[in-house]
Amino acid sequence: MPAQNEPNEPNVPSEPSPVAAFRSLLTEEGRSLLAGLRDHDPARELATATRLRRDHPAELVSAALGMARLRQRAVAKFGAEDAYRMFFTPNGVEQSTRRSVADYRAARFAALGIRSVADLCCGIGGDAIALARLGIRVLAVDRDPLTCEAARANAEALGLSDLIEVRCADVADVDTSGYDAVFVDPARRGGRGRIFDPEAYSPPLSWAIEAARRAPHAALKIAPGVPHEAIPDDAEAEWISDGGDVKEAVLWFGTAPGARRATLLPGGHSLVGAGLPDPAVRPVGRYLYEPDGAVIRAHLVADVAAALGDGGLIDETIAYVTSDELRATDYASAYEITDVLPFNLKKLKAVVRERGIGVAVIKKRGSAVEPEDLRKKLKLAGPHSCVIVLTRAAGAPVMLLGREVRA
């Protein structure tokens, strides 16, 4: 029996659940707050919060400020027009597909004649949106209730609710037999950060592969560093870069089994491997070609070298191609080499000082030297610029000086 005359415990309001806090943003008051925070300055967040709490509930203000921050981060992936209409979760911003990549993949699905897709592990709906914008019907599935709320809100915000059905469920329990294709984007991050073992994905890659094999067509999004030996023989593997940065790899089923492809966005250039042997090692010529990261990850450096005529590697372990001729290629950056010197910091300092080098692009591959450390030591000053490449040639450390050129 409780003691007599004890003071009553104060009624402490409980924190709203993440889903409840999210739904508050979908109200007229929440949407109005978000609209006013479009140009919000995070550096003034405390002052903004204090001002807004005079007229709005503190929980709603906190949720709105959090979403405003996520929308600002999402602009880089989705563009301002979409990002400021969409709704995000912290993981959703981090893990969602960049719009340019999602649009490209959706176009590949459409070119295959796909009219319906089961999007498993849909996240906040970036890929579902790209598919629906091409008129493809999408079942978007995720097991996280908050993520599903965001995906559903995004479909509505972008006028795609009639084509996107969002279902909160375990993907293993979903019947995909009524769909033309399956797209699976397993979670590749855990409590300790990025997951490198494909069998530690959620769901595991082996499960995703079996799900893909049951569909007429399928695509599985995986990390670009996946070992080639983990790629099944009946899949086409595609590595995609955007603006020179490798974004992801995709395993396609029902397309070109065994093919290896590198696709470069925004141009949409796509290189399919011909199964060529590694090119021979040769002396550094007048031009150095640096293949795009997607080309390197797809093991298609030999295909780039073959397209250059006399192209060869400068070292058997380094993905730099050299040639005596300048030829146009969409798959590599080209540099005209003026100096091939054994690596020597004292010599390099003397060269840049004598030539008045004030601006230098420093690149490295196969070198332990860190570009920014080297930049500090060089003390660059002067009106001229150059490219400095720290690498190995025929097994020996070298420094290559030159300039970027365009064929």
Side-chain angles (χ1 to χ4, degrees):
M1 189 170 180
Q4 298 297 315
N5 301 322
E6 283 188 357
N8 293 328
E9 290 290 331
N11 291 322
V12 179
S14 59
E15 288 288 327
S17 71
V19 171
F22 181 89
R23 287 176 176 169
S24 70
L25 296 175
L26 305 181
T27 64
E28 183 177 348
E29 184 180 12
R31 291 178 186 273
S32 176
L33 262 179
L34 284 173
L37 289 170
R38 178 183 173 111
D39 298 320
H40 162 61
D41 180 2
R44 297 181 51 81
E45 186 161 304
L46 180 59
T48 302
T50 301
R51 173 176 56 81
L52 293 176
R53 283 171 180 159
R54 296 178 190 138
D55 302 309
H56 305 280
E59 295 84 356
L60 178 60
V61 171
S62 179
L65 286 168
M67 188 61 68
R69 291 194 301 269
L70 294 177
R71 284 180 165 182
Q72 289 177 346
R73 286 173 55 193
V75 168
K77 280 191 173 183
F78 291 91
E81 183 177 354
D82 279 355
Y84 285 112
R85 290 188 291 167
M86 293 173 66
F87 295 85
F88 301 95
T89 66
N91 285 341
V93 171
E94 182 71 25
Q95 300 179 23
S96 58
T97 304
R98 181 178 293 266
R99 177 174 176 177
S100 57
V101 178
D103 287 348
Y104 164 76
R105 182 165 40 244
R108 276 206 73 177
F109 271 122
L112 292 169
I114 302 300
R115 304 307 305 158
S116 62
V117 173
D119 180 1
L120 308 182
C121 311
C122 67
I124 54 93
D127 283 281
I129 290 166
L131 290 162
R133 279 175 162 160
L134 294 182
I136 297 172
R137 180 171 57 88
V138 184
L139 170 64
V141 183
D142 203 285
R143 67 182 180 182
D144 179 63
L146 179 59
T147 299
C148 288
E149 291 284 341
R152 196 173 289 113
N154 288 334
E156 179 184 349
L158 299 178
L160 299 169
S161 295
D162 57 334
L163 286 169
I164 299 175
E165 174 194 348
V166 179
R167 186 181 302 176
C168 191
D170 190 313
V171 295
D173 298 331
V174 176
D175 179 10
T176 62
S177 59
Y179 294 84
D180 297 338
V182 167
F183 173 63
V184 189
D185 182 4
R188 296 181 299 283
R189 285 185 179 273
R192 297 184 177 180
R194 193 178 300 276
I195 296 172
F196 296 97
D197 178 8
E199 284 308 296
Y201 292 173
S202 180
L205 180 59
S206 57
W207 181 91
I209 289 172
E210 290 309 309
R213 286 171 173 159
R214 292 193 294 269
H217 292 90
L220 313 181
K221 179 178 171 181
I222 57 176
V226 65
H228 278 234
E229 55 268 24
I231 299 171
D233 294 337
D234 56 339
E236 170 195 346
E238 178 178 31
W239 283 261
I240 302 173
S241 68
D242 188 8
D245 294 327
V246 182
K247 296 302 180 183
E248 64 184 56
V250 184
L251 302 183
W252 290 90
F253 292 80
T255 54
R260 299 292 180 265
R261 179 190 297 266
T263 297
L264 282 57
L265 302 177
H269 305 293
S270 206
L271 177 65
V272 179
L276 301 177
D278 290 340
V281 175
R282 53 151 291 174
V284 178
R286 182 176 177 182
Y287 297 98
L288 184 76
Y289 293 84
E290 180 182 24
D292 183 89
V295 171
I296 296 172
R297 292 295 183 100
H299 294 182
L300 301 183
V301 174
D303 297 81
V304 172
L308 297 174
D310 64 342
L313 297 178
I314 65 170
D315 186 278
E316 62 181 7
T317 65
I318 302 295
Y320 280 134
V321 177
T322 189
S323 171
D324 294 320
E325 298 181 18
L326 179 62
R327 295 197 180 189
T329 175
D330 295 314
Y331 304 104
S333 300
Y335 304 92
E336 184 176 17
I337 301 303
T338 57
D339 299 87
V340 181
L341 304 169
F343 179 78
N344 183 291
L345 180 56
K346 184 177 180 180
K347 175 64 175 176
L348 183 57
K349 285 182 175 180
V351 170
V352 298
R353 184 174 62 252
E354 292 166 3
R355 298 182 185 177
I357 303 298
V359 177
V361 175
I362 303 175
K363 310 178 75 66
K364 65 169 251 179
R365 183 164 293 161
S367 171
V369 178
E370 290 300 325
E372 290 312 308
D373 290 341
L374 178 61
R375 187 183 305 279
K376 293 175 184 176
K377 293 175 181 177
L378 291 179
K379 299 179 181 178
L380 301 169
H384 304 298
S385 62
C386 77
V387 174
I388 301 171
V389 181
L390 308 175
T391 186
R392 290 197 308 272
V398 295
M399 46 193 191
L400 313 178
L401 278 66
R403 62 183 184 90
E404 186 170 8
V405 294
R406 298 189 182 277

